[in-house]
Amino acid sequence: MPAQKFATETRLGLVRRARRIDRILGETYPDAKAELDFTNPFECLVVTVLSAQTTDKRVNLASPALFAAYPTAKEMAAAPREHLEQLVGPLGFFRAKTDALLKLSAVLVEEHDGEVPSRLEELVKLPGVGRKTANVVLGNAFGKPGITVDTHFGRLSRRFGWTTEKDPVKVEHEVGALFEKRDWTMLSHHVIWHGRRICHAQKPACGACPLAKLCPAYGEGPTDPVVAAKLVRTEGRN
């Protein structure tokens, strides 16, 4: 079993392996970044909220018209529900997402003068905003380190042996302790990109993975290079 050689790994060994994995992922995905399009903190917050249960590509297709009509929290809070539903309709769950945008925008206007707060403690108090969304905004809109524990990040963190936890907050803290804080945001991008392109939930492309020698889960997917190569995606699906 590939995992056996990591069974006696020391804490120092784990830290070194984790950071080496991140370095290799950084070399593999030099253009890694958030795959949602935005130009300011408000747009970042909105598109991240809208990305739930849909793909980044679909959000990126819908967001230009949304922000052309309602570029600020004040304008979005006053948006006619019917029009907002039309704009977010292609993303699915349009009633719930319309509710979320109206409530979120209203609170931004009422409590933050229409501006997106730049502190985790304030972000998670906003309607529909959890730690995952807050860390996306902190890291990508404000340049403050944050670890984004989405399904990809959680899955890969467990496969890499960085944590055995399934609770996103516990994963965030355990993995964060292995890295310098300044690296958290790019670490998130690297891991998420790898999860979307190679280390899939079903049939990871193990035989095409640059981390094969460093991964306890090597062998969960096809190890034949030719077979694995067919599973690799050139871009993320969501």
Side-chain angles (χ1 to χ4, degrees):
M1 292 289 292
Q4 289 179 341
K5 70 176 183 178
F6 301 101
T8 58
E9 186 174 49
T10 64
R11 174 69 180 182
L12 178 59
L14 172 60
V15 170
R16 287 177 173 172
R17 181 169 62 84
R19 296 184 181 187
R20 187 179 175 194
I21 285 174
D22 187 40
R23 286 196 297 273
I24 292 172
L25 291 179
E27 294 167 357
T28 305
Y29 309 110
D31 299 322
K33 61 180 181 179
E35 296 187 89
L36 288 165
D37 296 335
F38 57 87
T39 62
N40 57 54
F42 176 66
E43 291 184 2
C44 181
L45 179 58
V46 169
V47 295
T48 305
V49 169
L50 288 177
S51 68
Q53 296 177 298
T54 190
T55 66
D56 289 356
K57 285 185 177 180
R58 291 177 71 183
V59 175
N60 290 339
L61 288 172
S63 61
L66 175 65
F67 294 129
Y70 309 110
T72 68
K74 183 176 181 180
E75 289 165 302
M76 191 170 288
R81 170 178 289 276
E82 295 78 10
H83 189 221
L84 206 54
E85 288 182 348
Q86 290 176 5
L87 292 172
V88 302
L91 305 180
F93 303 96
F94 67 94
R95 291 188 180 86
K97 290 187 177 183
T98 297
D99 282 340
L101 294 188
L102 289 173
K103 291 176 182 177
L104 175 62
S105 299
V107 172
L108 288 175
V109 172
E110 294 167 6
E111 299 183 12
H112 300 281
D113 198 29
E115 299 297 321
V116 177
S118 60
R119 296 177 61 244
L120 178 68
E121 296 80 5
E122 294 177 324
L123 282 167
V124 295
K125 292 179 182 178
L126 297 173
V129 178
R131 288 184 69 93
K132 182 182 77 172
T133 296
N135 278 321
V136 170
V137 174
L138 287 175
N140 297 285
F142 293 109
K144 295 185 176 182
I147 291 179
T148 303
V149 183
D150 69 352
T151 56
H152 301 290
F153 193 97
R155 177 177 74 254
L156 270 62
S157 294
R158 289 184 287 274
R159 282 180 174 170
F160 293 158
W162 293 351
T163 182
T164 59
E165 298 290 348
K166 293 187 176 180
D167 178 78
V169 177
K170 292 180 180 179
V171 172
E172 178 187 337
H173 291 317
E174 281 205 4
V175 175
L178 301 174
F179 297 88
E180 296 287 348
K181 188 173 182 179
R182 64 175 181 268
D183 296 327
W184 287 355
T185 299
M186 286 309 302
L187 168 70
S188 299
H189 291 322
H190 295 158
V191 172
I192 291 170
W193 272 48
H194 192 59
R196 290 176 171 177
R197 288 157 176 79
I198 292 180
C199 196
H200 315 305
Q202 303 295 327
K203 285 193 177 181
C206 293
C209 181
L211 305 175
K213 294 182 180 179
L214 298 171
C215 182
Y218 177 76
E220 284 192 14
T223 58
D224 180 270
V226 176
V227 176
K230 295 178 181 179
L231 300 173
V232 175
R233 298 172 189 154
T234 56
E235 57 183 19
R237 283 188 178 174
N238 54 39

